[in-house]
Amino acid sequence: MTHHAPPTLPANLRLSTAQALKRILAASLAYAIAWQLGFWHWALPVGVMFVAAWALPYRWWPLWVVVATLQGSVIDLLYQLSSESPAWPSPLHWFLGMAAPPLLAMPGAAWLRSRGDALGQPVNVASVTRMLLAALLVATLYVAKDLVYVLADGQVIDIDQRSGKIVGVAKLGAPDDMAVLVPFATSHFIGAFVGIMLLAPLAMWWYSRHSLPGNRTILISAAKYLPPMAAVYLLLAGYFAQIQSGEILRLMLLAVVIISALNNGWRGATLAILVASVAVEVQYVLGSPHAHSLLLQSFIAIAGAMGLLFGAARDELAKRDREMSLLAERLRDTARRNQTQADDLRRWITSEVHDEVGQNLTALQMQLKLAENASNQPRLFAPMREIIGHMRNSVSSLLGSLRPAGLDEFGLRRTLDEGSIRQLMQAAGVDYRVNLRGESGFLEQLPDEVQVSIYRIVQEAATNTLRHAGADRFVVTLRTRRVGGALQVVLRCCDNGIGLDTAPRRQGGIGLVGIEDRVLSLGGEVRLRSNTLGTSLLAVLRHI
């Protein structure tokens, strides 16, 4: 029989009794505060219920339901005594108003867990999308509960929460009930969604704060820019309302949310939409003229959801960019190590061939000379001398291809100016010039692999010019300078030929691809420009 291990709970849900009780106490305190902030366009208690269910393990849900129900009953009873709010008409109304709210938030939290989402896990576009979908699910359940409540009560009562006075009563049972129920249901639906949308991202941030970089920077940035923008909004609210151009203000708030998301990701969007929502509430409390409540509710909901998704997408792109940069750096390190190993191997082969083969050829030549002198027939040894000479030329050519001739003895500057490249170009009738700018001592500070790469780039560019360009002038410009703490090398090779095909070619030698590989392995950049007036190759290398 195969036994399957039970699924492992996320670390965030493996709570001790003390930790669970602390979360329940925090949720209870937040619930009391949210109840007092329950203005018309948000339902913050719904957000508290949702976050509490999401943050608590299943076994602690019954206790949270009991605590929230008792607390809500006491708070609502005190509110009834201090306002014109009517008492619960029946036990059903008490259940719908007090016991149902924590229960109805749980399906959304349970669905998130079934999808693998838990507070404290990495936040991305997919997790934000699922959180918003869960908010829609809970908002739908809440509005259904509220509709059952008012239908059982037979009336819709509008209470001004600032004063606690009843400002309107709409009796149900008339033919125009839909004209009352639809705005009521829409307002409560959006309010529940906004309540979750404002608080759930804050909880996601709080429980994953230790794994998120830049929290302090984001909070400082928000403290600097968001309150002044909210103040400007409130100052302009009255003026724009008088000229009936409040849409401009809403575009201003939307721009603040988008800019915050662009600069600081979903965390910036969370703070921006919270400040924007508070600004709208303050505008309402101050009694400023404003647009229809459903319009502003819809604006807050849409702007918030869009800002969170946009911010999460921005964070994902930034994370992938960092990962790609890290991968590119690792690839450059790998290419640099491979290039270094190849150059070390060439150096070793050069040394071995020079010491062993070169010395053996010299010894063989000396023995041949002795035998020639002893035989008095030098013509018999002429073919052997020719073979030895050919072997010397071949070895010399091989050594030159493995290791730039003279680089170790004379350095990069003299090797470029006086070495085999100049001899090759002059033999072909090409005017070869080398311009060295900057302090020449900087070249000697370059690592060996960088000096070899510079030489090989010039060598390959010169070879391409001879083979394809039909030029009579080839100019090498090498500039070294300090840029900050880095040593920068700018290499330019130019000719006045007919141009060449810049498409990458991997067959028939390293060609342009080999040049690019060498430059990229050193973390540099290479550009090639070719037309009928000539070809210019620019390589920029940086070395700390």
Side-chain angles (χ1 to χ4, degrees):
M1 180 184 300
T2 302
H3 297 279
H4 297 282
T8 303
L9 285 175
N12 179 60
L13 296 179
R14 296 195 293 270
L15 302 178
S16 65
T17 300
Q19 291 173 324
L21 292 177
K22 286 181 180 179
R23 291 193 180 187
I24 292 176
L25 180 61
S28 178
L29 179 61
Y31 186 38
I33 297 174
W35 190 287
Q36 301 301 321
L37 298 177
F39 296 122
W40 57 269
H41 93 267
W42 56 22
L44 293 181
V46 181
V48 173
M49 296 295 179
F50 178 83
V51 171
W54 198 7
L56 289 169
Y58 290 128
R59 67 179 183 277
W60 290 101
W61 280 9
L63 178 59
W64 166 241
V65 171
V66 172
V67 171
T69 301
L70 292 177
Q71 183 182 11
S73 300
V74 172
I75 293 176
D76 196 57
L77 182 60
L78 294 175
Y79 185 73
Q80 293 173 17
L81 296 176
S82 63
S83 68
E84 297 180 359
S85 176
W88 305 300
S90 67
L92 173 63
H93 290 82
W94 171 85
F95 175 81
L96 292 174
M98 300 297 108
L103 292 172
L104 295 179
M106 292 174 178
W111 179 77
L112 283 178
R113 290 186 189 172
S114 70
R115 307 297 296 179
D117 293 316
L119 291 174
Q121 292 185 338
V123 178
N124 51 40
V125 175
S127 62
V128 171
T129 301
R130 288 192 292 268
M131 182 274 292
L132 294 175
L133 291 175
L136 292 175
L137 170 62
V138 173
T140 302
L141 296 176
Y142 266 80
V143 75
K145 179 263 297 182
D146 292 340
L147 285 174
V148 172
Y149 189 101
V150 297
L151 289 174
D153 195 24
Q155 59 184 353
V156 176
I157 301 176
D158 187 10
I159 300 177
D160 186 348
Q161 291 191 336
R162 289 178 297 176
S163 62
K165 295 182 179 180
I166 297 177
V167 296
V169 178
K171 297 291 184 179
L172 299 178
D176 60 345
D177 282 352
M178 295 302 296
V180 176
L181 292 177
V182 170
F184 170 83
T186 304
S187 177
H188 280 231
F189 174 80
I190 299 177
F193 176 80
V194 170
I196 296 174
M197 184 192 67
L198 292 176
L199 297 186
L202 290 175
M204 297 165 70
W205 187 354
W206 174 260
Y207 284 106
S208 60
R209 65 190 184 280
H210 297 300
S211 62
L212 294 174
N215 289 325
R216 179 182 177 85
T217 302
I218 293 174
L219 290 173
I220 292 175
S221 176
K224 284 183 178 179
Y225 299 109
L226 293 183
M229 293 301 298
V232 171
Y233 171 84
L234 293 174
L235 289 175
L236 296 177
Y239 172 76
F240 279 104
Q242 292 174 3
I243 63 175
Q244 297 181 350
S245 298
E247 294 81 2
I248 297 178
L249 284 182
R250 289 192 288 277
L251 290 177
M252 171 184 166
L253 288 179
L254 179 61
V256 170
V257 173
I258 295 302
I259 292 174
S260 297
L262 182 62
N263 291 335
N264 297 313
W266 67 271
R267 289 173 287 174
T270 296
L271 297 176
I273 195 60
L274 183 62
V275 171
S277 184
V278 170
V280 171
E281 284 302 332
V282 172
Q283 178 189 1
Y284 169 71
V285 172
L286 294 178
S288 300
H290 52 77
H292 193 277
S293 61
L294 287 180
L295 182 61
L296 288 180
Q297 275 188 299
S298 301
F299 168 76
I300 293 294
I302 294 173
M306 183 175 62
L308 288 172
L309 291 172
F310 181 74
R314 177 264 184 195
D315 284 348
E316 276 198 50
L317 290 175
K319 180 181 178 181
R320 292 180 182 179
D321 184 63
R322 290 192 298 270
E323 291 175 349
M324 291 298 295
S325 297
L326 181 59
L327 179 60
E329 183 62 30
R330 290 177 178 175
L331 290 175
R332 282 195 295 269
D333 290 342
T334 301
R336 189 179 300 115
R337 285 195 300 270
N338 292 339
Q339 193 69 54
T340 301
Q341 292 173 358
D343 289 337
D344 290 342
L345 179 60
R346 291 190 186 98
R347 185 186 296 109
W348 179 80
I349 294 175
T350 301
S351 177
E352 290 298 313
V353 170
H354 179 272
D355 293 343
E356 294 296 329
V357 179
Q359 292 178 9
N360 289 335
L361 285 177
T362 300
L364 179 60
Q365 190 173 23
M366 292 178 62
Q367 293 296 327
L368 183 62
K369 184 65 175 176
L370 293 175
E372 181 181 354
N373 293 336
S375 66
N376 294 321
Q377 294 182 351
R379 289 182 298 175
L380 295 177
F381 295 91
M384 286 182 282
R385 286 198 303 271
E386 184 178 351
I387 293 174
I388 292 176
H390 179 71
M391 291 178 64
R392 281 192 175 278
N393 293 335
S394 298
V395 170
S396 177
S397 177
L398 176 61
L399 293 177
S401 64
L402 289 174
R403 181 74 179 170
L407 189 60
D408 294 328
E409 293 81 2
F410 306 112
L412 178 61
R413 179 172 183 170
R414 286 189 60 187
T415 303
L416 285 177
D417 194 24
E418 305 173 8
S420 60
I421 300 179
R422 175 176 291 280
Q423 297 172 10
L424 177 68
M425 301 300 279
Q426 289 180 345
V430 177
D431 181 17
Y432 177 75
R433 302 178 186 177
V434 177
N435 300 321
L436 299 177
R437 300 175 181 175
E439 296 187 23
S440 59
F442 284 163
L443 289 178
E444 309 307 322
Q445 299 177 19
L446 295 174
D448 181 71
E449 64 269 16
V450 178
Q451 296 189 40
V452 172
S453 293
I454 292 174
Y455 181 87
R456 292 302 188 194
I457 291 171
V458 175
Q459 185 182 49
E460 183 61 32
T463 302
N464 285 337
T465 295
L466 291 180
R467 290 178 178 175
H468 310 292
D472 58 15
R473 185 175 71 252
F474 185 83
V475 180
V476 177
T477 302
L478 186 61
R479 182 174 69 237
T480 55
R481 61 179 180 177
R482 288 284 183 183
V483 179
L487 182 60
Q488 185 185 74
V489 179
V490 180
L491 172 65
R492 185 187 299 274
C493 301
C494 304
D495 64 45
N496 62 344
I498 61 174
L500 48 86
D501 185 8
T502 60
R505 293 169 295 174
R506 290 203 173 267
Q507 64 274 15
I510 63 171
L512 300 178
V513 174
I515 292 176
E516 292 176 352
D517 290 345
R518 283 188 176 273
V519 174
L520 294 178
S521 70
L522 298 174
E525 301 175 3
V526 60
R527 299 177 186 173
L528 181 67
R529 183 176 60 190
S530 183
N531 51 45
T532 55
L533 299 179
T535 300
S536 173
L537 184 143
L538 175 67
V540 180
L541 307 176
R542 297 175 181 88
H543 177 71
I544 301 299

